[in-house]
């Protein structure tokens, strides 16, 4: 298959919308990461996303919409809290898990009776959704297990020849995936940390959201001075996406809590090619660049990537979730 390169002109967005309507796959920019989109209500089309990504089919999709009202066509119940949060944070990098209506096929939700919904702030993304006239199911547009793509070049690295089209639009401003917030219960629960943090939610709405207990591994990995893989005791994922190998480049990624330059020298002495990723305290820059840096270093043939961790609070908590996964929880002092 030849993957069409489309731009953000009226004509090309129309064409992309037509591909979605006819059951095809289109990669498109969002403010978080690029998504691999298909008609969320078309079982065949959604199945082909799983095939293209090599993704386990019990891992549910996020359904993207262009207006807040569209959520009511997909969710059977939107609580007052959920409505308040949508009003405050949509369009934007937050996804809400809600009870689903029958119209959403089970293949889209990985067999769950809930559906994850997001209204992206990317204009290109919303224009595509409107042009297609459909809600668009879209996971990140990478081969399952690899770092999420934040620009069209990184999408094509994984998906060229496998999908119908890519919209070569803006690169993703945020750079890590949306916050996934379960709003089906009394207390909103963060299943995947993202740009919208519990601190920001409380500051802007007074609503208290809590991290799912499976996310505590961000604070509890074992420091192993030998550099072996750390053990995470009792790690039980609740969001199905959390249990698979994730965000991993070809290179070995190691988080270095201590003197990163000393570690770099040690690895170099052994004859390994090493790169250091150090974002200082700049969590915005870390979020924006981490995934694309991993892909760039792979292209450069680097064998070991040493990463300086961020403070595990606020946006830093969300980034450390990604960094630890990409390192397979390998942390050294
Ligand atoms: O920023 C994003 O969210 C990007 C862009 C393209 O919008 N999409 C994305 O999709 O990251 P994906 O498929 O890579 O991640 C979806 C996450 C997974 O962790 C999945 O388990 C969780 O959302 N999820 C989806 N539906 C769910 C549900 N009904 N209940 C619990 N978790 C759900
Ligand atoms: Mg993903």
């Amino acid at each position: 298959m030849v993957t069409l390169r489309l731009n953000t002109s009226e004509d090309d967005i129309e064409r992309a919308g037509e591909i979605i309507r006819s059951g095809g796959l289109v990669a498109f920019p969002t403010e978080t990461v690029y998504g691999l989109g298909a008609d969320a209500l078309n079982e065949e089309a959604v199945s082909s996303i799983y095939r293209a990504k090599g993704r386990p089919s019990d891992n549910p999709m996020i359904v993207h919409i262009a207006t807040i009202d569209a959520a009511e066509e997909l969710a059977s119940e939107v609580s007052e809290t959920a409505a308040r949060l949508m009003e405050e944070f949509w369009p934007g990098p937050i996804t809400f898990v809600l009870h689903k209506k029958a119209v959403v096929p089970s293949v889209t939700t990985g067999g769950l009776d809930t559906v994850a919904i997001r209204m992206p702030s990317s204009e290109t993304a919303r224009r595509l959704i409107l042009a297609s006239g459909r809600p668009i199911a879209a996971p990140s547009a990478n081969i399952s297990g690899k770092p999420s793509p934040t620009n069209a070049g990184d999408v094509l690295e994984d998906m060229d020849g496998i999908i119908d089209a890519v919209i070569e639009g803006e690169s993703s401003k945020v750079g890590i995936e949306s916050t996934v917030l379960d709003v089906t219960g009394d207390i909103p629960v963060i299943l995947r940390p993202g740009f919208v943090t519990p601190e920001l939610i409380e500051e802007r709405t007074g609503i208290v959201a809590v991290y799912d207990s499976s996310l505590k591994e961000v604070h509890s990995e074992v420091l192993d001075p030998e550099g072996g893989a750390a053990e995470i005791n009792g790690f039980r994922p609740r969001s199905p996406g959390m249990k698979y190998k994730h965000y991993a480049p070809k290179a070995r990624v190691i988080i270095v809590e201590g003197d990163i330059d000393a570690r770099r020298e040690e690895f170099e002495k052994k004859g390994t090619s090493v790169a250091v990723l150090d974002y200082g305290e700049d969590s915005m820059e870390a979020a924006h660049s981490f995934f694309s840096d991993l892909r760039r270093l792979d292209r450069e043939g680097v064998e070991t990537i040493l990463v300086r961790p961020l403070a595990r609070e606020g946006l830093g908590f969300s980034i450390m979730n990604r960094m630890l996964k990409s390192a397979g929880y390998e942390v050294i002092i």
Side-chain angles (χ1 to χ4, degrees):
M1 166 189 304
V2 175
T3 299
L4 268 179
R5 271 75 164 162
L6 300 173
N7 59 39
T8 57
S9 67
E10 270 321 297
D11 282 357
D12 276 14
I13 296 283
E14 265 312 313
R15 191 154 178 207
E18 172 55 35
I19 293 171
I20 297 278
R21 267 198 304 283
S22 57
L25 297 185
V26 178
F28 62 99
T30 87
E31 72 279 16
T32 57
V33 300
Y34 268 64
L36 178 55
D39 178 352
L41 307 183
N42 177 336
E43 293 185 28
E44 271 301 304
V46 172
S47 301
S48 67
I49 297 181
Y50 289 109
R51 283 197 297 276
K53 280 183 63 89
R55 178 183 179 124
S57 61
D58 66 338
N59 197 355
M61 308 273 167
I62 292 172
V63 179
H64 297 71
I65 57 178
T67 62
I68 294 190
D69 295 348
E72 278 163 30
E73 286 156 37
L74 306 167
S76 60
E77 190 194 322
V78 178
S79 67
E80 228 172 86
T81 301
R84 171 81 187 88
L85 291 170
M86 285 174 186
E87 215 173 280
E88 184 67 37
F89 291 105
W90 273 359
I94 184 165
T95 296
F96 297 98
V97 172
L98 297 148
H99 290 293
K100 80 174 190 75
K101 279 191 171 163
V103 62
V104 183
S106 156
V107 61
T108 303
T109 63
L112 298 173
D113 60 3
T114 51
V115 58
I117 308 176
R118 179 162 102 83
M119 176 176 170
S121 64
S122 159
E123 277 242 356
T124 312
R126 278 186 292 151
R127 286 172 62 211
L128 171 66
I129 298 161
L130 291 173
S132 74
R134 301 283 198 278
I136 295 184
S140 49
N142 52 283
I143 297 289
S144 194
K146 299 227 317 177
S148 302
T150 55
N151 58 74
D154 287 356
V155 171
L156 286 165
E157 201 170 81
D158 284 11
M159 294 294 168
D160 199 8
I162 296 176
I163 61 175
D164 296 289
V166 56
I167 300 175
E168 298 182 295
E170 73 276 8
S171 64
S172 301
K173 287 199 188 72
V174 173
I176 59 171
E177 305 84 347
S178 63
T179 304
V180 176
L181 190 69
D182 183 340
V183 285
T184 58
D186 290 338
I187 298 170
V189 179
I190 295 180
L191 302 181
R192 179 175 68 183
F195 186 77
V196 178
T197 60
E199 290 89 342
L200 188 65
I201 292 172
E202 187 163 4
E203 184 190 311
R204 300 246 298 251
T205 65
I207 294 168
V208 174
V210 298
Y211 286 116
D212 185 70
S213 59
S214 72
L215 295 173
K216 70 180 187 296
E217 92 275 7
V218 168
H219 291 300
S220 66
E221 90 284 355
V222 178
L223 294 182
D224 179 356
E226 300 305 316
E231 282 266 326
I232 307 302
N233 298 324
F235 172 48
R236 261 233 220 89
R238 187 167 142 193
S239 183
M242 290 301 196
K243 74 183 182 210
Y244 303 104
K245 183 180 155 198
H246 235 129
Y247 314 125
K250 289 189 216 109
R252 177 183 179 191
V253 179
I254 306 173
I255 312 289
V256 181
E257 296 271 3
D259 187 342
I260 203 162
D261 293 320
R263 284 294 185 175
R264 175 213 279 259
E265 275 174 34
E266 278 170 36
F267 276 99
E268 277 169 352
K269 267 188 213 142
K270 287 188 216 154
T272 318
S273 59
V274 193
V276 168
L277 290 179
D278 182 352
Y279 304 102
E281 289 302 307
D282 193 345
S283 53
M284 297 287 268
E285 174 57 21
H288 178 74
S289 301
F290 181 59
F291 286 145
S292 60
D293 282 344
L294 293 180
R295 283 179 176 268
R296 176 178 52 78
L297 293 171
D298 261 357
R299 284 195 296 274
E300 292 171 8
V302 166
E303 292 162 301
T304 303
I305 302 171
L306 304 180
V307 183
R308 185 190 292 288
L310 284 100
R312 295 164 194 214
E313 56 196 32
L315 181 55
F317 182 94
S318 308
I319 296 160
M320 285 312 297
N321 166 273
R322 308 310 194 274
M323 287 181 169
L324 284 161
K325 282 173 189 295
S326 72
Y329 298 97
E330 192 174 0
V331 182
I332 61 176
I333 302 169

